[in-house]
Amino acid sequence: MTGIGRPDEDGLIARYFRPLATAPGAAQLLDDAATYQPPEGHELVLTTDAVVAGVHFFPEDPPDAVARKALRVNLSDLAAKGARPVGYLLTIALTEDWSPDWLESFVEGLGADQEEFDISLFGGDTVRTPGPLWISVTAFGLATEGHVPRRNRAVTGQRIYVTGTIGDSALGLKIRLDQTLKGRWGLSATDAEHLLDRYLLPEPRVQAASIVANFATASMDISDGLAGDLGRMCAASDVGAVLEADRVPLSPAAAKAVAADPSALATVLTGGDDYEVLATVNPDDTEAFERAAKRAGLQVAAIGTIMPSFAGRVRIERHGHPLVLDRLAFRHF
Amino acid sequence: MTGIGRPDEDGLIARYFRPLATAPGAAQLLDDAATYQPPEGHELVLTTDAVVAGVHFFPEDPPDAVARKALRVNLSDLAAKGARPVGYLLTIALTEDWSPDWLESFVEGLGADQEEFDISLFGGDTVRTPGPLWISVTAFGLATEGHVPRRNRAVTGQRIYVTGTIGDSALGLKIRLDQTLKGRWGLSATDAEHLLDRYLLPEPRVQAASIVANFATASMDISDGLAGDLGRMCAASDVGAVLEADRVPLSPAAAKAVAADPSALATVLTGGDDYEVLATVNPDDTEAFERAAKRAGLQVAAIGTIMPSFAGRVRIERHGHPLVLDRLAFRHF
């Protein structure tokens, strides 16, 4: 909370951000720093992700959705590491023309997500920028000591799982950029809305945290495309993978798009912003894993198998035949 | 480490940032998140501060100094809260025209400070921005449980202390913006360089952490001007303060500027970017506090006294007479 002028900033913090600082260690944002003491037997898990207007979201997106996206991309990282979220620090860079209405709605979005995920704001910084608005969030959570599934522990023979459905967000971005796709893909208004919503507002799989901590050896969140992120997991673990495209779980809207336009499948498999969890599970544990997921109301699907290492690392198969994609990862950067 | 495209970002992280991730919990930046477990009996202290090119530093500043400033403004917050720094997460937003040389030097600056302060990079994010370059840092450290001096515990009768010297950085910024001041203030080349350096590179008083934890009841870092920050501490504690301007410690260069130009005193007392520690100490403890500071090689000076609350909160006196300043706080925002 330093390094920026006060008369304005103090008022801004008091009005908009103080109500979000519900944890005692946040000291009502009246101090230079926050305190936090993890309970015994727990490890702290820390992650940071930023979003920039015009790069990671549209400047005209609803401010509450922008706020929640900035927060949720971080919660997704925590979930994939088996951690229950506790709190976050947030820096927002405002442009000269920021409006109280915009900020009010932004803060409402944060408040709604704090309630939904039972977390507190722990600190932050507000700065001025002549460039586009941006938000940087550092989130932290708690994992059981020794139970943080890393990326680099995928083992040959394991089954590969994903949560939720894949590709909705990337398809949503496509139809946002090209309105004609809605018709060409034969989407109903509801279908289109589903895809657009998934781009606007990720659903971090917070309920997956304890399940991946208990059953997965390797786990990560899918933010840059399923195929590319699976490749990254395989590289870290020095293994290969067969990805069965037919088994990749699709929403009804995504299924329509892929049926109407085969090229949409590439978008599904390589588009970014899924924020689902990718995890590998030993064959002996898959039944228990699936049962635990079901109990938690978490949709999971087995989509492939970890193999010994081979060149290229990831082979995608469809109807038993290899599928070649132009590029594996979606580039935000 | 998510939410951004990979082929580029992975390479960028591997080349520039991986060598900085020395802590085991940082997982070589190959994962979605870092882990950390504070040792028993300690509280985690967390703070975040961002810097924007053209707002908090000059775009043409040496990149290693920019990096160190971004880091050090956070370490200063930790020190004021009695915390030894442990690590940090860093997000950097690069413009299209970023150069490897710039980033190389930036990372060298981080590396030098990691060594100096015995800390590790724990994670981060690299994003692209069409606007000015910015850096957001979240730093964390360890304080002894129950020994975090807060802002709101200043008590009537206590002596007010500052570390180091005050005003150098604000005067440095002035001469950077107006070269003629060097001559008008009668500064030698060495004097001017001292002030310019203090603006470019804060000296976080890391060695003050354990001393303020042991002896101060209230403590904060001075980032927005001594008078304004003291006012903020008084407001949080519901007390007032007399600040004896004659006792405010000045570097030889600042002393020359104030002697030559009385208006420079206002800059000293209200200019920002000091990154010194402001602390209040019970009268019975001042001797022990001063001895402990001396042993640690930390310069401290008593500059005033906490009083019962009064309107305006801070009375500045010089030669026994009240001094009225136009504005108490420096505005970055």
Side-chain angles (χ1 to χ4, degrees):
Chain A
M1 282 296 161
T2 65
I4 2 83
R6 293 308 159 128
D8 299 77
E9 199 202 11
D10 282 351
L12 196 145
I13 289 168
R15 174 158 175 205
Y16 297 102
F17 292 103
R18 185 154 307 144
L20 299 174
T22 53
Q28 300 188 283
L29 307 183
L30 281 168
D31 215 317
D32 303 283
T35 58
Y36 180 71
Q37 207 168 3
E40 237 179 282
H42 288 81
E43 282 184 87
L44 201 75
V45 179
L46 298 141
T47 190
T48 194
D49 259 318
V51 293
V52 178
V55 180
H56 303 90
F57 63 92
F58 291 85
E60 66 272 21
D61 282 346
D64 58 325
V66 172
R68 298 170 90 177
K69 186 172 199 169
L71 188 54
R72 287 172 174 216
V73 298
N74 284 280
L75 301 186
S76 176
D77 282 323
L78 295 182
K81 297 295 109 182
R84 174 175 74 73
V86 171
Y88 66 105
L89 299 95
L90 179 143
T91 294
I92 183 165
L94 294 168
T95 50
E96 279 303 339
D97 61 348
W98 73 271
S99 81
D101 282 353
W102 192 95
L103 202 55
E104 194 100 38
S105 165
F106 180 86
V107 164
E108 271 171 29
L110 293 177
D113 269 9
Q114 289 194 190
E115 206 149 305
E116 180 164 349
F117 300 110
D118 192 21
I119 57 177
S120 171
L121 178 64
F122 270 76
D125 194 6
T126 56
V127 295
R128 186 163 55 82
T129 179
L133 181 145
W134 54 263
I135 302 129
S136 170
V137 170
T138 299
F140 62 99
L142 290 177
T144 308
E145 199 179 330
H147 277 72
V148 176
R150 287 298 192 178
R151 264 189 207 186
N152 61 354
R153 294 184 195 146
V155 179
T156 300
Q158 286 186 318
R159 288 296 278 164
I160 303 165
Y161 281 88
V162 292
T163 59
T165 58
I166 301 297
D168 293 329
S169 175
L171 294 171
L173 177 58
K174 285 252 177 198
I175 62 176
R176 181 135 177 200
L177 293 171
D178 179 357
Q179 295 283 336
T180 68
L181 287 175
K182 235 188 277 189
R184 283 158 56 198
W185 290 348
L187 302 180
S188 69
T190 314
D191 290 331
E193 205 176 317
H194 168 78
L195 299 179
L196 290 165
D197 280 355
R198 288 269 289 171
Y199 172 75
L200 204 59
L201 200 60
E203 276 298 337
R205 300 302 177 189
V206 172
Q207 73 274 43
S210 65
I211 301 169
V212 295
N214 284 332
F215 295 101
T217 66
S219 167
M220 66 186 288
D221 89 322
I222 308 170
S223 52
D224 300 314
L226 171 59
D229 281 337
L230 177 57
R232 207 163 289 131
M233 179 184 274
C234 287
S237 305
D238 197 19
V239 294
V242 169
L243 196 167
E244 299 161 64
D246 310 300
R247 292 180 181 273
V248 171
L250 302 181
S251 68
K256 279 191 203 172
V258 169
D261 174 5
S263 87
L265 183 63
T267 302
V268 166
L269 297 177
T270 64
D273 286 337
D274 287 302
Y275 303 108
E276 298 290 353
V277 176
L278 174 70
T280 67
V281 177
N282 286 325
D284 288 352
D285 295 332
T286 54
E287 250 181 69
F289 170 76
E290 291 185 20
R291 267 201 312 273
K294 197 165 188 180
R295 268 199 307 275
L298 178 72
Q299 186 187 326
V300 297
I303 59 159
T305 306
I306 298 294
M307 314 286 282
S309 180
F310 57 85
R313 301 248 180 235
V314 177
R315 189 168 71 237
I316 305 179
E317 291 184 357
R318 197 182 191 201
H319 311 316
H321 296 289
L323 184 74
V324 177
L325 301 174
D326 284 353
R327 46 177 210 140
L328 287 185
F330 175 71
R331 301 185 183 201
H332 290 267
F333 186 78
Chain B
M1 282 295 164
T2 66
I4 1 81
R6 292 308 160 130
D8 297 80
E9 199 202 9
D10 282 351
L12 196 146
I13 289 169
R15 174 158 174 206
Y16 297 103
F17 292 103
R18 184 154 307 144
L20 299 174
T22 54
Q28 300 188 284
L29 307 183
L30 281 167
D31 216 317
D32 302 284
T35 58
Y36 181 71
Q37 206 168 5
E40 237 178 283
H42 288 82
E43 282 184 87
L44 201 73
V45 179
L46 298 140
T47 189
T48 193
D49 259 319
V51 293
V52 179
V55 180
H56 303 90
F57 62 92
F58 291 86
E60 67 272 20
D61 282 346
D64 59 326
V66 172
R68 299 171 90 177
K69 187 173 199 169
L71 188 54
R72 287 173 175 215
V73 297
N74 284 279
L75 301 186
S76 176
D77 282 323
L78 295 182
K81 297 295 109 183
R84 173 175 75 71
V86 171
Y88 66 105
L89 299 94
L90 179 144
T91 295
I92 184 165
L94 294 169
T95 51
E96 279 301 341
D97 62 346
W98 73 271
S99 81
D101 283 353
W102 193 96
L103 201 56
E104 192 101 38
S105 166
F106 180 86
V107 164
E108 270 171 29
L110 293 177
D113 268 9
Q114 287 194 193
E115 205 150 306
E116 180 164 349
F117 300 111
D118 192 20
I119 57 178
S120 171
L121 179 64
F122 271 75
D125 194 6
T126 55
V127 294
R128 186 163 54 84
T129 179
L133 181 145
W134 54 264
I135 301 130
S136 170
V137 170
T138 299
F140 61 99
L142 290 177
T144 309
E145 199 180 329
H147 277 73
V148 176
R150 289 295 193 180
R151 266 189 204 184
N152 61 353
R153 294 183 194 148
V155 179
T156 301
Q158 286 186 318
R159 289 295 278 162
I160 304 164
Y161 281 88
V162 292
T163 59
T165 58
I166 301 297
D168 293 327
S169 175
L171 295 171
L173 177 57
K174 286 251 176 199
I175 62 175
R176 180 134 177 202
L177 294 170
D178 179 358
Q179 295 283 335
T180 69
L181 286 175
K182 232 188 278 189
R184 282 157 57 196
W185 289 349
L187 302 180
S188 69
T190 314
D191 290 332
E193 205 176 317
H194 168 78
L195 300 179
L196 290 165
D197 280 356
R198 289 270 288 170
Y199 171 75
L200 203 60
L201 200 61
E203 277 299 338
R205 299 303 177 189
V206 172
Q207 73 273 43
S210 64
I211 302 171
V212 296
N214 284 331
F215 294 101
T217 65
S219 167
M220 67 186 289
D221 90 321
I222 308 170
S223 51
D224 300 315
L226 172 59
D229 281 338
L230 178 57
R232 208 163 288 133
M233 179 185 274
C234 287
S237 305
D238 197 19
V239 294
V242 170
L243 195 169
E244 300 162 62
D246 310 301
R247 291 181 182 272
V248 172
L250 302 181
S251 68
K256 278 190 203 174
V258 169
D261 174 2
S263 86
L265 183 62
T267 302
V268 166
L269 297 177
T270 64
D273 286 336
D274 287 303
Y275 302 109
E276 298 290 353
V277 176
L278 173 70
T280 67
V281 177
N282 286 327
D284 288 353
D285 296 332
T286 54
E287 250 181 68
F289 170 76
E290 292 185 18
R291 268 201 312 275
K294 197 165 185 180
R295 270 200 306 275
L298 179 72
Q299 187 186 325
V300 297
I303 59 160
T305 307
I306 298 295
M307 315 284 285
S309 181
F310 56 86
R313 301 249 181 235
V314 176
R315 189 167 72 237
I316 305 178
E317 292 185 355
R318 196 182 190 198
H319 312 317
H321 296 288
L323 184 75
V324 177
L325 301 174
D326 283 354
R327 46 177 210 140
L328 287 184
F330 175 72
R331 299 185 186 202
H332 290 266
F333 186 76

